[in-house]
Amino acid sequence: MNRPSFPDFVVADGDLDLTKLLVALAEGCKVISHLVNNVGLSDIIGHTGSSNVHGEDVQKLDDLTNKILTDYLTASETCAGFVSEENEHILTLNAGGKFTIAVDPLDGSSNIDVAAPIGTIFCVHERLTAPGGDVEGVDFLQKGTATRAAGYFIYGSSTMLIISTGRGVNGFTLNTADNEFYLSHPNIMMPEKGKIYSINQGNAQKYDDGLRNFLNYCGEVDKDTSRPYSLRYIGSMVGDIHRNLIKGGIFIYPANKGETKGKLRLLYECIPMSFIVEQAGGKASDGKMRILEIQPTDFHERCAIFIGSKNLMDKALEFVNQ
Ligand code: AHG
Ligand code: MN
Ligand code: MN
C-alpha cells in the first residue's frame, strides 16, 4: 500500500505517549468494527435489559465496546483517566499516565440492528492533576479549546478513522485485506456552502419559532441559494456529521420543549465533533456560544448543538437569535 498507515502517520505528530494512546484506541476500534460487521451472526445483538446514567436502554454492544476500549487503553499505559457515556463515574486506568479520554463507545446504538452507520467518538485532554495519583473531576471538565486530540471511528460502508490533533483533519480507511488503517482523506475541509440539513423533523412542534422559521427557509424554492435544501437524518450523530463533513451541510439537535438542554452530551459527543468540524473549517455552537468555549461542569451534561458549514450555520443562528 503506497499510503502511510495510521501508526506511521501519527508518530510524525511528536508526542510518543499520545501516539501510543491513539494507536491502542485504533486497535480496539478494529475489534469493534469486526463485531459490528458480524453482529447479526452473534448473540451480542439486542439489549442488556439495564439502563445507563441517562436512563437509556443499554445495548449489549454498548457494554462490550465500552469494555474493549477500557482494556486497550489500560494496556497502552498512557491513559490516566476514562469517562464514558456508559459509566456513571470516572475511572483511573494508569495513574502514571498524562492523558484523560472521554468516549461515546458506540454512537447511534439504535441503528445496530438495521445495519446503518454507527461510530465511536473520542476526545483526549492532558490531565491537570499530577501523574501518580487517581484522576479527578477537573481532569475531565476541560473546555474543548484545550482538546489534545479528538475524532471518531465510523462503522459504515467502510470503517474509517477521522482524527485531528489540532493541525487539520485527516481520514484513514481500514483496509480489510491487512486490517490496517491507511491515509485515504488527507487534510479534510468541510465545504463552506452546504445544501443538506440534518434534524429530527418529527420534533418540529417542540422547536422554538426561530428554528421552525429556519426549517421553512430550508424548504423554500430559491435558485440563487440552491434551495430547497435536502433533509438527511439517519439518527446517528457520527453518520450524519460525517456525511456533512464530506458533502457540506448542517446538523442540529436543539434544546426543545421535551429536552430543555438538548439530548447530546457535551464531553463525548458535542466537543469532539465540534473540534473536528472547526479544524475542517466549519462552525459549532449551542445556539448562543461556540461549543469549544463552554466550560463543562458535569461529566454527562447535555448541550444543544448546531454544527456544520459556514453558510448554513450563519443563516441558522441568524434565525434562532432573531
Ligand atoms: P447514542 O447511541 O450514543 O445514545 O447516541 C444517539 C444520539 C445520536 O447519535 C443521534 O444523533 C441522536 O441520538 C438521535 O436522537 P433522536 O433519535 O432523538 O433523533
Ligand atoms: Mn452518542
Ligand atoms: Mn452511545
Side-chain angles (χ1 to χ4, degrees), residues 52 56 62 85-86 103-109 119 265 268-269:
N52 61 18
E56 294 159 345
D62 285 320
E85 176 191 356
E86 303 308 336
V103 294
D104 178 356
L106 206 62
D107 174 68
S109 306
R265 281 57 57 118
Y268 39 79
E269 289 173 315

Side-chain angles (χ1 to χ4, degrees), residues 253-255 260-264 270 285-287 291 294 302-306:
Y253 207 109
T260 52
K261 291 271 283 176
K263 170 182 184 181
L264 301 175
C270 297
S285 166
D286 68 354
I291 295 249
I294 296 174
R302 301 172 191 268
C303 91
I305 184 164
F306 296 72

Side-chain angles (χ1 to χ4, degrees), residues 32-33 36-37 115-120 152-161 173-174 176 234 236 238-239 242:
I32 294 172
S33 174
V36 167
N37 290 333
I118 53 183
T120 296
Y152 57 87
F153 295 80
I154 180 167
Y155 314 111
S157 51
S158 64
T159 288
M160 286 189 69
L161 161 57
T173 298
L174 184 64
T176 49
I234 48 177
S236 215
V238 167
H242 181 68

